[in-house]
Amino acid sequence: MCDLDTPPAWNSRPTICVSISQYLKLQDGSLIKLDMDRGLTSFWHGNPNTPGKWHQTADKAIQELLTIVKADVPNQVDFPWEEYVKAATQRGIDIDEAKLRALPYQVTFSDALMKAYGF
């Protein structure tokens, strides 16, 4: 799940901050947070009054966010499955890497972030 976050207080430039939280969705629809939060901050260079300055395609935004999620994985070709298993196990969920790999991975943007990105 990706949402707008609060920019650092010290920053005076136009900035967009995005928080990335990862969850497991259970069969009953409830979400279990894995506490493996990530995020990104982008600064605007140039005229801060430029309309649509944060706009990008959904595909580009998803790829950027997946790169951040995969940052600790060699060559960024896969997800940190071992970390996911460990986080799920700590929350009382009995699951192994093979089962996790079989689950769909979905990127969800908040309404506020979709508006900022222009999609």
Side-chain angles (χ1 to χ4, degrees):
M1 296 184 128
C2 307
D3 198 359
L4 282 178
D5 205 353
T6 305
W10 52 264
N11 181 46
S12 62
R13 295 186 289 177
T15 304
I16 188 170
C17 294
V18 178
S19 65
I20 305 167
S21 299
Q22 296 184 79
Y23 297 83
L24 283 176
K25 188 173 186 178
L26 303 181
Q27 287 180 339
D28 66 3
S30 61
L31 299 174
I32 304 296
K33 188 173 183 182
L34 296 179
D35 290 335
M36 301 171 65
D37 296 338
R38 302 272 199 268
L40 68 94
T41 299
S42 294
F43 300 99
W44 184 257
H45 302 282
N47 182 352
N49 298 317
T50 303
K53 61 185 166 212
W54 305 114
H55 287 202
Q56 60 180 308
T57 66
D59 287 341
K60 183 177 177 192
I62 289 169
Q63 287 309 310
E64 181 177 33
L65 296 167
L66 290 177
T67 297
I68 292 166
V69 168
K70 297 176 182 183
D72 297 331
V73 179
N75 302 318
Q76 298 181 342
V77 295
D78 210 349
F79 293 98
W81 297 111
E82 290 177 19
E83 290 181 44
Y84 295 161
V85 170
K86 183 178 177 181
T89 302
Q90 290 173 341
R91 283 149 188 80
I93 299 170
D94 183 27
I95 195 162
D96 61 26
E97 187 174 322
K99 289 178 185 174
L100 275 177
R101 285 177 177 269
L103 296 174
Y105 192 95
Q106 178 181 352
V107 176
T108 304
F109 294 98
S110 70
D111 290 342
L113 185 56
M114 287 191 296
K115 184 177 178 182
Y117 280 159
F119 54 82

